[in-house]
Amino acid sequence: MRGTNQSSVSEFLLLGLSRQPQQQQLVFVLFLIMYLVTVLGNLLIVLAISTDSHLHTPMYFFLSNLSFVDVCFSSTTVPKMLTNHILGSHSISFSGCLTQMYFLCVFANMDSFLLAVMAYDRFVAICHPLHYTTKMTCQLCALLVTGSWVIANLNVLLHTLLMARLSFWTNQSSVSEFLLLGLSRQPQQQQLLFVLFLSMYLVTVLGNLLIVLAISTDSRLHTPMYFFLSNLSFVDICFSSTTVPKTLANHILGSHSISFSGCLMQMYFLCVFADMDNFLLAVMAYDRFIAICHPLHYTTKMTHQLCALLVTGSWVLAHMNGLLHTLLLARLSFCADNVIPYFFCDMNGLLKLSCSDTQLNELMLLTEAALIMIAPFVCILASYVHISCAVLRVPSTRGRWKAFSTCGSHLAVVSLFYGTIIALYFNPSSSQSAEEDIAATVMYTVVTPMLNPFIYSLRNRDLKGALGKVFVKKTFSV
């Protein structure tokens, strides 16, 4: 059913700096020159730091990030203003305004965080010069920058979602909450499902936290492969925590409702962490490809900087993808039906409930979202084709088994992750029942994150040894 009698604001007008025609040309030239100087100057700093090995220090690493952020900060507002002047327009779309506000706040926050990080770097360098290299490690620098990006995005996402929910229209009757039907409406099954979900969630959190703890405390596991694995375990905890606690809370409270903003927030983080799982599996496949096909160059290729860049880039792409779909969805109207036949806010389910035109959302799902899922999968397949060819060239059977055994756990996780995605999103809807859809969503959001720690720990002697040390330390400390 389509909404009627709706008068909504679809764009805003930016008045600019001056309404005087004689001043506009001067303002245009002035802003164009300042923007070009900003971009050129900061890009030259980034280029100089990246190409000169003498500048590969924490201070210049933070400076290069600050220069990159400054380029993005200026690019958020000035190009739109210059374009409007050339076109003789003052308009900006609703979604464009939200997007501009989002990135403006993100880069402003990043400037603030990076200046604080650079002050801490100078404090350590001047007040603790003998311990500078041990304190300001590559891992800490990458963590500080990554943490700044994550906090900046989370902070601004909250304000953007709250802004997107405000009304800029009249005579509108819209849905303020949705109903999550959950897994079963049968009272005799709900208690069993509650206990089952609670148990799986606790196992997921405990198992993945133990892997993160074991990797962080055992110096032998401070390698790229285990660095990516610890990130994957952290993402799996967040992935399950996006949906399961809400399901458990609704059961305890005897409720099925979730607010509009809460639903958008849940969908956003579900999209982000699903993308991160996808990216990290591709990065881990690339790591195994380098380790097996180019073992002599492994340490020079898989550097700390590259590992940090791959993970940071994955986070940024995941947040941008999740933000895109969330902002597009926040613009839709939901007029009547508000029942979602899942235990979480699924994007496809929300699009079916909307009474607005969803063609743009569906187009983005078919192109951009599909590309983000398919491209890493293709990279994984290409990596394993090269790995298989390299393993088959090993003369001894024992050598082949040893080389391929390092990929067994990763292959199992890849099969489980992409198998459930294919079952859920790529099967024709007419060929599967509602029960099969629910089973696929449970496998995708709950079971897979729970099984990952077992798959990696049971097939990995080093990780089992590190986990044993963790348990021994805990036992003696008690």
Side-chain angles (χ1 to χ4, degrees):
M1 183 180 73
R2 299 291 172 189
T4 57
N5 299 324
Q6 176 175 314
S7 178
S8 62
V9 173
S10 61
E11 65 180 15
F12 297 98
L13 296 179
L14 302 173
L15 295 183
L17 296 175
S18 175
R19 303 299 301 274
Q20 303 298 325
Q22 62 272 19
Q23 295 179 353
Q24 290 179 4
Q25 296 296 330
L26 176 63
V27 170
F28 174 81
V29 173
L30 184 62
F31 267 67
L32 177 60
I33 293 173
M34 288 192 296
Y35 178 65
L36 292 176
V37 171
T38 300
V39 172
L40 181 62
N42 284 286
L43 284 180
L44 284 175
I45 288 178
V46 174
L47 183 63
I49 293 174
S50 62
T51 54
D52 192 338
S53 59
H54 296 292
L55 302 182
H56 292 174
T57 62
M59 181 180 71
Y60 290 107
F61 171 69
F62 298 135
L63 178 58
S64 64
N65 277 273
L66 182 65
S67 296
F68 169 74
V69 169
D70 284 341
V71 171
C72 299
F73 194 27
S74 293
S75 300
T76 304
T77 56
V78 179
K80 176 62 179 174
M81 189 188 69
L82 298 176
T83 303
N84 278 0
H85 176 84
I86 294 172
L87 299 177
S89 169
H90 295 282
S91 65
I92 184 173
S93 66
F94 182 88
S95 58
C97 191
L98 283 184
T99 304
Q100 187 183 71
M101 185 199 76
Y102 176 89
F103 285 111
L104 192 66
C105 294
V106 165
F107 297 131
N109 286 343
M110 280 302 299
D111 262 335
S112 178
F113 292 149
L114 286 173
L115 290 174
V117 168
M118 293 172 76
Y120 174 72
D121 172 76
R122 292 300 83 201
F123 159 73
V124 175
I126 295 173
C127 299
H128 304 280
L130 299 179
H131 301 285
Y132 181 75
T133 55
T134 57
K135 286 180 177 288
M136 297 302 296
T137 61
C138 295
Q139 293 87 339
L140 177 61
C141 295
L143 181 62
L144 289 172
V145 173
T146 303
S148 297
W149 277 109
V150 172
I151 294 173
N153 277 277
L154 292 180
N155 174 51
V156 181
L157 173 67
L158 173 64
H159 295 288
T160 305
L161 291 178
L162 291 174
M163 182 68 74
R165 188 50 182 157
L166 296 180
S167 299
F168 295 91
W169 51 64
T170 58
N171 300 325
Q172 170 71 19
S173 176
S174 62
V175 171
S176 61
E177 66 178 19
F178 296 98
L179 297 179
L180 302 173
L181 293 186
L183 297 173
S184 174
R185 303 300 298 274
Q186 303 298 324
Q188 62 272 19
Q189 294 180 353
Q190 291 179 3
Q191 296 296 331
L192 176 62
L193 289 173
F194 175 82
V195 173
L196 184 62
F197 264 59
L198 178 60
S199 302
M200 289 193 295
Y201 179 65
L202 292 176
V203 170
T204 300
V205 173
L206 181 61
N208 284 287
L209 277 180
L210 283 174
I211 285 185
V212 173
L213 183 62
I215 292 173
S216 62
T217 56
D218 193 333
S219 59
R220 294 179 304 171
L221 303 183
H222 293 173
T223 62
M225 180 178 72
Y226 292 108
F227 171 70
F228 297 135
L229 177 57
S230 63
N231 277 272
L232 181 67
S233 295
F234 170 74
V235 169
D236 282 339
I237 294 172
C238 299
F239 194 27
S240 291
S241 300
T242 304
T243 56
V244 180
K246 178 61 179 176
T247 303
L248 300 176
N250 277 0
H251 176 85
I252 294 173
L253 299 174
S255 170
H256 295 282
S257 66
I258 182 172
S259 66
F260 184 89
S261 56
C263 193
L264 286 185
M265 189 78 75
Q266 187 182 71
M267 190 205 73
Y268 172 84
F269 285 112
L270 195 67
C271 182
V272 167
F273 296 130
D275 287 346
M276 278 303 298
D277 261 337
N278 191 34
F279 293 148
L280 286 173
L281 290 175
V283 168
M284 294 170 77
Y286 175 73
D287 173 76
R288 291 299 83 203
F289 159 71
I290 298 296
I292 293 175
C293 299
H294 304 281
L296 298 179
H297 302 285
Y298 181 76
T299 54
T300 56
K301 286 180 177 288
M302 296 302 296
T303 61
H304 293 302
Q305 291 86 344
L306 177 61
C307 295
L309 180 63
L310 289 172
V311 173
T312 304
S314 297
W315 277 111
V316 173
L317 285 176
H319 278 290
M320 292 181 66
N321 179 54
L323 174 67
L324 171 65
H325 293 291
T326 304
L327 290 178
L328 288 175
L329 196 62
R331 185 56 183 150
L332 299 180
S333 299
F334 298 87
C335 307
D337 191 9
N338 67 337
V339 178
I340 300 175
Y342 298 109
F343 63 95
F344 62 92
C345 291
D346 178 67
M347 192 181 302
N348 289 329
L350 288 171
L351 291 179
K352 292 177 182 177
L353 296 180
S354 175
C355 55
S356 302
D357 185 3
T358 61
Q359 288 186 355
L360 179 59
N361 300 70
E362 293 168 357
L363 178 63
M364 295 307 296
L365 276 176
L366 290 174
T367 55
E368 187 266 347
L371 181 64
I372 278 189
M373 294 302 294
I374 293 173
F377 183 62
V378 172
C379 292
I380 292 172
L381 290 179
S383 296
Y384 275 105
V385 168
H386 286 89
I387 288 172
S388 299
C389 294
V391 170
L392 291 176
R393 288 196 294 267
V394 176
S396 66
T397 305
R398 183 178 179 181
R400 293 178 188 174
W401 173 252
K402 184 178 180 180
F404 204 72
S405 64
T406 61
C407 307
S409 300
H410 182 256
L411 272 175
V413 173
V414 167
S415 302
L416 189 61
F417 180 77
Y418 285 102
T420 52
I421 288 180
I422 292 171
L424 181 60
Y425 293 109
F426 291 90
N427 275 347
S429 58
S430 58
S431 66
Q432 53 188 20
S433 63
E435 290 77 10
E436 290 174 335
D437 278 343
I438 292 174
T441 58
V442 172
M443 284 291 296
Y444 175 52
T445 58
V446 182
V447 178
T448 300
M450 180 188 67
L451 292 180
N452 285 354
F454 295 99
I455 293 173
Y456 276 104
S457 60
L458 291 176
R459 295 181 57 90
N460 192 302
R461 184 180 303 173
D462 293 334
L463 191 55
K464 283 192 288 186
L467 287 171
K469 289 182 179 179
V470 171
F471 282 114
V472 169
K473 288 181 180 179
K474 292 294 182 183
T475 303
F476 279 107
S477 63
V478 174

